[in-house]
């Protein structure tokens, strides 16, 4: 799993690439979030377009991220949720927990 | 055609082993008659079983390893993941879909394995705990 961060209209966008399978990489994600929250960011979008697959540790990472951001008074939205990831959200009943958009444009639009 | 062993891997009980198992799995299942989506289902389920073996079964004990064996026949692929733990009672595991569990960061591995594979069996053996995962090839008979 690789992370790429950039800012657009005061929104912090995190692109995730590869497999979200947990292990040591989950910590990198949480560290990155904390750093960006520390810089004052409140609006976050996770871009999942290039995620190959995700397991329960990946889902745990997303939930942990959501909790961290909410506790800091911020918001997290997901963009480009693939069909496969969506089906995991359905199986686990997490669909109602995450605010998801099928494209980055729509996710950004929702913050305007 | 009877079940034949097609691969075996032993890894240390640390989270970093997950990537090693995934590389091995990917190479092995690439040659099988699975559509791409089913390949991912298998890789995801193996990552769940191995993660549980490392974290819950062996509790990251550096003295203990996790054994992963692959078998196939004309109808399906079988993976057996074995740890050296005491085992557990699968139907006592809380349902992660319950309202009070929805915001927990863990507890969804078994649900996901059961959903993505055609057959999932948990059994306690003399050595420890075994998780058996099976996935049918397209057009394969029920396992
Ligand atoms: N190999 C194992 N050995 C012992 N306990 C296990 C094993 N696999 C699963 N468990 C138990 O079942 C629970 C549920 O597993 P799982 O659904 O993968 O969720 P998680 O691993 O996130 O807790 C674990 O918390 C653990 O108590
Ligand atoms: Mg697990």
């Amino acid at each position: 799993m690789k992370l790429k961060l950039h800012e657009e209209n005061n929104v912090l966008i995190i692109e995730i690439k590869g497999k979200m399978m947990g292990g040591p990489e989950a910590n990198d994600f949480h560290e990155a979030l904390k750093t960006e929250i520390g810089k004052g960011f409140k609006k976050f979008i996770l871009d999942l377009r290039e995620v190959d697959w995700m397991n329960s540790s990946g889902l745990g990472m997303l939930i942990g991220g959501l909790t961290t951001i909410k506790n800091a008074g911020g918001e997290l939205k997901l963009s480009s949720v693939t069909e496969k990831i969506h089906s995991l959200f359905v199986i686990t009943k997490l669909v109602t927990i995450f605010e998801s958009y099928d494209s980055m444009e729509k996710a950004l639009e929702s913050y305007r | 055609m009877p079940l034949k062993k097609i691969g075996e891997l032993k890894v240390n009980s640390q989270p970093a082993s997950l990537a090693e198992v995934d590389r091995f799995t990917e190479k092995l299942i690439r040659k099988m008659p699975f559509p791409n989506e089913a390949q991912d289902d298998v890789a995801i389920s193996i990552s769940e079983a191995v993660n549980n073996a490392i974290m819950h079964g062996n509790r990251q004990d550096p003295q203990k390893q996790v054994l992963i064996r692959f078998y196939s026949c004309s109808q399906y692929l079988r993976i057996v993941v074995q740890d050296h733990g005491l085992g557990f009672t699968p139907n006592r595991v809380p349902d992660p879909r319950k309202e009070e569990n929805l915001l927990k960061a863990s507890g969804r591995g078994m649900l996901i394995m059961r959903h993505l594979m055609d057959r999932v069996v948990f059994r306690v053996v003399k050595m420890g705990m075994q998780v058996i995962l099976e996935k049918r090839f397209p057009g394969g008979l029920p396992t």
Side-chain angles (χ1 to χ4, degrees), chain B residues 1-5 70-74 76-78 134:
Chain B
M1 195 174 86
L3 265 183
K4 200 176 135 229
K5 188 163 166 186
F70 295 79
Y71 303 84
S72 75
C73 62
S74 58
Y76 62 91
L77 169 70
R78 172 186 288 174
E134 289 178 2

Side-chain angles (χ1 to χ4, degrees), chain A residues 84-101:
Chain A
K84 189 76 201 180
I85 294 172
H86 181 76
S87 80
L88 282 185
F89 288 171
V90 173
I91 300 164
T92 54
K93 300 227 164 119
L94 290 173
V95 253
T96 54
I97 303 291
F98 295 111
E99 191 175 329
S100 315
Y101 296 89

Side-chain angles (χ1 to χ4, degrees), chain A residues 19 21-24 52-57 59-61 63-64 66-67 84 87-88 91-94 96-97, chain B residues 15-16 18-19 22 26 37 39-41 43-44 47-48 51 96-97 102-106 108-109 111-112 115-116:
Chain A
K19 296 169 182 173
M21 64 164 99
D52 298 324
W53 56 249
M54 183 185 295
N55 63 12
S56 67
S57 307
L59 291 173
M61 229 181 83
I63 294 169
L66 180 69
T67 307
K84 189 76 201 180
S87 80
L88 282 185
I91 300 164
T92 54
K93 300 227 164 119
L94 290 173
T96 54
I97 303 291
Chain B
L18 287 169
D22 187 61
E26 197 176 81
E37 185 164 326
Q39 288 193 14
D40 288 348
D41 293 347
I44 293 169
S47 79
E48 297 292 358
N51 193 37
R97 296 167 299 185
L102 274 186
L103 285 176
K104 291 189 179 153
S106 61
R108 300 180 181 84
L111 173 68
I112 289 177
H115 191 85
L116 299 182

